[in-house]
């Protein structure tokens, strides 16, 4: 089948760029997969630790029977003492509120949120990987599979926005800090651009098909 021809120099640059993006997507995919495993394991230990956290009668935060003080905690994590003190005071207030249940729920949802976000990113990178592999190797980028991949990326990004909004709302409700949950307009614009791109690919494929039929 004959396809719409592109200037050789432009075609070479396009394939080189596509191949570079394909390699970067593959590397990021591997990194995110490793990060997801680390967060899942680390999150499990974190949740286990939080389950053994309590505030004693002297208003000290205690975990695994050890009292956490501001100075040693700040030195251990390399953080500012004031921030550590604020964090411990928040934990104390939340613990007094419902005996620590909201703290446990907050960390459980935080870990789940991170795993879900990374899983979505991995899925997107797989699709990006496939898309740019097609562009770098196929005779023409304007094939049905590429249009479908671009639309899938748009749908998944839309789903990601909804999930992020819901999880942020849940986390904000659990700790009741009064923060506002809002949608990021730039993501919505990006999704619209992605869907427009998929339609452009469809249109280009139709033009290519018409040219092929005439020939």
């Amino acid at each position: 089948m004959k396809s719409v021809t592109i200037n050789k120099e432009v075609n070479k640059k396009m394939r080189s760029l596509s191949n570079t993006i394909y390699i970067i997507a593959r590397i990021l995919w591997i990194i995110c997969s490793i990060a997801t495993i680390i967060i899942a394991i680390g999150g499990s230990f974190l949740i286990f630790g939080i389950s053994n956290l309590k505030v004693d009668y002297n208003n000290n935060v205690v975990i695994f029977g050890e009292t956490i003080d501001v100075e040693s905690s700040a030195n251990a994590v390399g953080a500012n003492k004031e921030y550590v003190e604020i964090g411990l005071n928040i934990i104390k207030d939340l613990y007094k509120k419902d005996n620590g249940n909201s703290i446990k729920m907050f960390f459980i949802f935080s870990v789940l949120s991170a795993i879900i976000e990374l899983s979505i990113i991995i899925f997107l990178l797989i699709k990006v990987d496939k898309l740019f592999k097609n562009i770098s190797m196929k005779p023409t980028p304007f094939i049905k599979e590429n249009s479908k991949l671009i639309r899938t990326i748009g749908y998944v990004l839309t789903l990601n926005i909804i999930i992020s909004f819901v999880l942020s709302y849940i986390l904000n409700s659990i700790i009741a800090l009064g923060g506002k949950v809002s949608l990021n307009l730039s993501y919505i614009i990006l999704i619209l651009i992605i869907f427009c791109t998929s339609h452009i690919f469809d249109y280009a494929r139709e033009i290519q098909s018409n040219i092929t039929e005439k020939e």
Side-chain angles (χ1 to χ4, degrees):
M1 182 187 82
K2 296 186 75 174
S3 60
V4 176
T5 57
I6 303 173
N7 180 279
K8 287 184 178 180
E9 189 64 31
V10 174
N11 188 42
K12 185 179 178 181
K13 289 180 180 179
M14 182 185 72
R15 289 180 183 278
S16 177
L17 177 61
S18 298
N19 196 46
T20 302
I21 295 172
Y22 154 66
I23 293 169
I24 292 171
R26 181 62 61 94
I27 293 169
L28 290 173
W29 168 15
I30 294 169
I31 292 171
C32 288
S33 298
I34 295 169
T36 303
I37 295 169
I38 292 171
I39 289 175
I41 295 171
S44 299
F45 282 108
L46 177 63
I47 292 168
F48 177 69
I50 294 299
S51 299
N52 288 276
L53 181 146
K54 65 178 183 178
V55 176
D56 63 18
Y57 294 108
N58 296 318
N59 202 35
N60 294 317
V61 177
V62 179
I63 185 167
F64 293 116
E66 296 290 329
T67 301
I68 300 176
D69 64 272
V70 175
E71 188 170 350
S72 61
S73 297
N75 292 333
V77 298
N80 188 295
K81 291 181 182 179
E82 292 181 4
Y83 294 140
V84 173
E85 188 173 5
I86 291 171
L88 290 175
N89 287 334
I90 291 172
I91 290 173
K92 291 173 186 177
D93 292 337
L94 291 173
Y95 190 90
K96 290 174 184 176
K97 178 183 175 183
D98 55 11
N99 205 31
N101 290 327
S102 59
I103 300 174
K104 296 171 189 175
M105 290 300 296
F106 175 77
F107 280 100
I108 288 171
F109 271 100
S110 294
V111 172
L112 286 175
S113 177
I115 292 172
I116 290 170
E117 288 281 342
L118 278 171
S119 298
I120 291 172
I121 290 171
I122 290 168
F123 182 83
L124 287 171
L125 287 171
I126 290 171
K127 296 302 178 183
V128 170
D129 173 279
K130 178 64 176 173
L131 173 64
F132 284 96
K133 185 179 180 181
N134 284 347
I135 292 173
S136 65
M137 298 181 71
K138 300 287 184 180
T140 173
F142 306 118
I143 59 177
K144 189 175 182 179
E145 185 183 5
N146 285 349
S147 299
K148 187 178 178 181
L149 284 167
I150 294 170
R151 274 194 296 273
T152 301
I153 290 169
Y155 289 134
V156 174
L157 280 174
T158 304
L159 180 64
N160 184 45
I161 288 178
I162 295 169
I163 291 173
S164 297
F165 181 83
V166 172
L167 288 174
S168 297
Y169 180 81
I170 291 171
L171 288 171
N172 193 60
S173 299
I174 290 170
I175 58 176
L177 292 177
K180 291 183 178 179
V181 180
S182 58
L183 289 172
N184 193 325
L185 184 61
S186 60
Y187 281 117
I188 297 173
I189 294 171
L190 174 62
I191 289 167
L192 290 173
I193 292 171
I194 289 171
F195 280 120
C196 287
T197 304
S198 74
H199 285 296
I200 290 170
F201 268 62
D202 284 334
Y203 183 64
R205 193 176 74 252
E206 286 296 322
I207 293 173
Q208 178 176 282
S209 178
N210 290 335
I211 292 172
T212 304
E213 286 174 4
K214 288 178 182 178
E215 292 177 347

